[in-house]
Amino acid sequence: MNWLDEVKWDRDGLVPVIAQEAGSGDVLMFAFMNREALQLTAERGEAVYWSRSRQKLWHKGEESGHIQQVHELRLDCDNDVVLMKVTQLGHEPGIACHTGRHSCFFQRHDNGTWVADRPVLKDPEHIYK
Amino acid sequence: MNWLDEVKWDRDGLVPVIAQEAGSGDVLMFAFMNREALQLTAERGEAVYWSRSRQKLWHKGEESGHIQQVHELRLDCDNDVVLMKVTQLGHEPGIACHTGRHSCFFQRHDNGTWVADRPVLKDPEHIYK
C-alpha cells in the first residue's frame, strides 16, 4: 500500500501538520498539506504546504528564504495528523512565523487574556520585500 | 474582550489543540476543543477535549487515569490553533496514546512506508478496564 494512501485525508483532502524544531523541540507552526504537498515534502526534504487562503501549494520560504529542512515525518495513531521535525533555515535563531517571530505560538494565556510574550526577531517588512 | 472570543473557532465551533510534554518537549497528541472544553481546561488546569467521534466533552484520563496537567495555554498568530504544555500523569513515563504509547506520533516515514518505532508501554486492555 502506498504510504500516501494510508493517510486519512479530511473532507477537503488535507492533513494537519505540526512543525517542530529538531534541535530545540519548540513547536514552530501548524499548517495543512494535501497529497501532492506531502509527497513533495518527502521528495525534496523541505516543507511544502497547501495554503488554504491562496488555494495553492506553498513552498515554505519561497518568499522569505525561511525554508524548513525536514528530518523526519511522523504520523499519529489515527493516521490523520502529521508531525514533522525540521530545521528552520534562513535566520539565526530560526523564524517560522510571518510576524517575524521564532514560533507562531507567541501568545500565552494569562488570567483571561492572551499576552504576546515572544520577541519579533525581524521586521516582516524586511522579510517579505 | 473575552479571551475565548479571540479564538477563531472553525466551522464546527472547534479549535485544534497540540499537547506538548513540558519536561521533554515531546509532542504527545493532537485533538480538538470547543469553547466549553477550552474554558474547563483553563479552570481545572487539566485537559478537557471535545470528542468528535463521541460528540461530547472528554476529560482526558477520565477512564485511563492518564490525566494531562496543564501548565500553559498558547495561541498561534492566526488565533486558530492552541498549543498546550502538559505533564502526562498516571504512568511513568507518561502515556498519552490510547494504544498505550507515550505519544500518538509513533509512526515514522521510512522510504515509502510508515514504521511504528516506539514501544507500547502498557497494554490498552489494562488501561481501559
Side-chain angles (χ1 to χ4, degrees):
Chain A
M1 191 175 183
N2 186 296
W3 67 288
L4 294 164
D5 292 330
E6 294 188 59
V7 176
K8 277 196 201 141
W9 307 96
D10 72 11
R11 55 191 162 182
D12 297 319
L14 304 177
V15 68
V17 179
I18 302 161
Q20 182 179 31
E21 194 169 47
S24 66
D26 292 341
V27 175
L28 297 177
M29 58 179 280
F30 172 93
F32 290 86
M33 291 184 187
N34 62 7
R35 187 185 171 98
E36 188 182 0
L38 183 54
Q39 183 160 26
L40 285 170
T41 295
E43 283 172 10
R44 297 185 183 182
E46 293 179 358
V48 178
Y49 298 100
W50 174 257
S51 169
R52 293 185 302 171
S53 56
R54 290 178 287 164
Q55 287 286 303
K56 62 171 197 170
L57 288 172
W58 162 37
H59 182 198
K60 170 80 178 164
E62 62 194 359
E63 286 183 61
S64 64
H66 297 163
I67 282 171
Q68 293 179 334
Q69 184 186 353
V70 176
H71 303 289
E72 198 174 84
L73 288 168
R74 306 190 70 87
L75 189 64
D76 79 333
C77 49
D78 295 326
N79 288 11
D80 62 2
V81 186
V82 168
L83 172 65
M84 200 165 58
K85 301 289 183 76
V86 306
T87 298
Q88 182 65 58
L89 302 175
H91 190 275
E92 187 59 44
I95 295 175
C97 186
H98 75 287
T99 66
R101 292 178 174 89
H102 176 57
S103 160
C104 293
F105 296 92
F106 59 82
Q107 304 179 94
R108 183 174 47 81
H109 176 245
D110 183 10
N111 201 21
T113 61
W114 295 104
V115 179
D117 65 354
R118 301 288 165 85
V120 173
L121 301 174
K122 189 171 178 179
D123 185 337
E125 286 194 14
H126 296 280
I127 297 177
Y128 306 97
K129 55 185 179 218
Chain B
M1 190 174 183
N2 186 297
W3 68 287
L4 293 164
D5 292 331
E6 293 188 60
V7 175
K8 277 195 200 142
W9 306 96
D10 72 11
R11 56 190 162 182
D12 297 319
L14 304 177
V15 68
V17 179
I18 302 160
Q20 183 179 30
E21 194 169 47
S24 65
D26 292 341
V27 174
L28 297 177
M29 58 177 281
F30 172 93
F32 290 87
M33 291 184 187
N34 64 4
R35 187 184 171 97
E36 188 182 0
L38 184 53
Q39 183 159 24
L40 285 171
T41 296
E43 284 173 7
R44 298 185 183 183
E46 293 180 357
V48 178
Y49 297 100
W50 175 257
S51 168
R52 293 184 304 170
S53 56
R54 289 178 288 165
Q55 288 285 304
K56 62 171 199 171
L57 289 172
W58 161 37
H59 181 201
K60 171 79 177 165
E62 61 194 0
E63 286 182 61
S64 63
H66 297 163
I67 282 170
Q68 293 179 334
Q69 183 185 357
V70 176
H71 303 288
E72 199 174 82
L73 287 168
R74 305 190 72 87
L75 189 64
D76 80 334
C77 50
D78 296 325
N79 289 11
D80 61 3
V81 187
V82 168
L83 173 64
M84 199 167 58
K85 302 288 183 75
V86 306
T87 298
Q88 182 65 59
L89 303 175
H91 190 273
E92 186 60 44
I95 295 174
C97 185
H98 75 287
T99 66
R101 292 177 174 89
H102 176 57
S103 160
C104 292
F105 296 92
F106 59 83
Q107 303 179 94
R108 181 175 47 80
H109 176 245
D110 183 10
N111 201 21
T113 60
W114 296 104
V115 179
D117 66 353
R118 301 289 165 84
V120 173
L121 301 174
K122 188 172 178 180
D123 185 336
E125 286 194 17
H126 296 281
I127 297 176
Y128 306 96
K129 58 188 177 216

